[in-house]
Amino acid sequence: MPIPAEPIVFMKATSCIQGPNDPVMLPRDSVKTDWEVELGVVIGTRARYVPEAEALSHVAGYCTINDVSEREYQIERGGTWDKGKGCDTFGPLGPWLVTRDEVADPQKLTMWLDLNGRRVQSGSTETMIFSVAKLISYVSQFMTLEPGDVITTGTPPGVGMGMKPPLYLKEGDRMALCIEGLGEQTQVVVPFKR
């Protein structure tokens, strides 16, 4: 996808949030469920129209997130990205909330994701298109950020959608992902169930 001129903003349903090692459930009729290791930024104090220079003062801490996404729902079904991002189990967070003072520079964290033991994503927050401070400031121009809100920040290359040919999650796949100093997650993919 082309590099956007401004950050792309979407919402993830609170019902998608789960523990870092809980299984990821394929949505009914899913054909393009994908993975994304991302830095999560947890807001600590109310942020509204925040200047970029003050943005990091509103951070409580950071965590590892797997921004699981159903690409057909997200891209091919029209409208916003939300419906491909908010499916049940699509928001594993943790294992820890690492406080702001324990992260010297959120733009210098290595990150990786393995699929079935094979490294598919390897990168650093250093290569983010928009910095953490920019993202907080930007989002706060459109909505008030409250304590406990989480901003996901983008992912390095290596998602299934970008592979040639594309590769998507299937039942039994195992994801392991980690961000330096923020802890590791592991999820097994399970089929849809009511």
Side-chain angles (χ1 to χ4, degrees):
M1 299 177 89
I3 293 175
E6 295 187 33
I8 295 170
V9 176
F10 59 86
M11 304 289 226
K12 283 185 85 83
T14 56
S15 58
C16 81
I17 297 171
Q18 64 171 12
N21 301 313
D22 294 336
V24 167
M25 181 178 65
L26 295 171
R28 184 168 57 189
D29 303 323
S30 168
V31 293
K32 295 182 179 179
T33 296
D34 204 348
W35 57 85
E36 295 185 35
V37 59
E38 294 193 7
L39 174 65
V41 180
V42 182
I43 299 300
T45 58
R46 178 176 278 191
R48 186 167 156 227
Y49 295 104
V50 174
E52 194 171 333
E54 299 171 16
L56 293 183
S57 69
H58 292 274
V59 174
Y62 303 94
C63 64
T64 302
I65 293 180
N66 188 352
D67 178 19
V68 183
S69 306
E70 212 300 342
R71 304 301 188 189
E72 181 189 31
Y73 299 177
Q74 174 189 351
I75 298 167
E76 300 172 30
R77 301 279 297 268
T80 67
W81 283 15
D82 300 2
K83 56 185 177 257
K85 296 284 192 174
C87 301
D88 291 348
T89 75
F90 274 23
L93 298 177
W96 307 308
L97 170 64
V98 179
T99 56
R100 180 180 74 221
D101 61 304
E102 295 180 279
V103 177
D105 185 348
Q107 300 306 147
K108 295 203 181 296
L109 303 174
T110 59
M111 56 192 350
W112 56 263
L113 185 143
D114 291 349
L115 178 63
N116 300 321
R118 178 179 147 232
R119 182 73 32 105
V120 291
Q121 288 191 279
S122 183
S124 170
T125 56
E126 198 167 22
T127 62
M128 288 170 50
I129 297 168
F130 304 103
S131 70
V132 171
K134 173 68 176 177
L135 292 172
I136 295 167
S137 174
Y138 183 83
V139 173
S140 79
Q141 308 306 305
F142 303 100
M143 65 193 77
T144 299
L145 296 168
E146 298 286 356
D149 284 348
V150 180
I151 297 174
T152 62
T153 58
T155 196
V159 297
M161 176 176 66
M163 294 185 175
K164 305 238 185 291
L167 177 66
Y168 296 108
L169 294 170
K170 63 188 182 314
E171 181 182 350
D173 281 346
R174 179 184 164 90
M175 294 174 283
L177 54 146
C178 183
I179 298 179
E180 175 187 358
L182 305 184
E184 185 173 331
Q185 301 183 359
T186 303
Q187 295 107 30
V188 174
V189 179
V190 298
F192 172 79
K193 64 179 178 187
R194 285 183 186 256

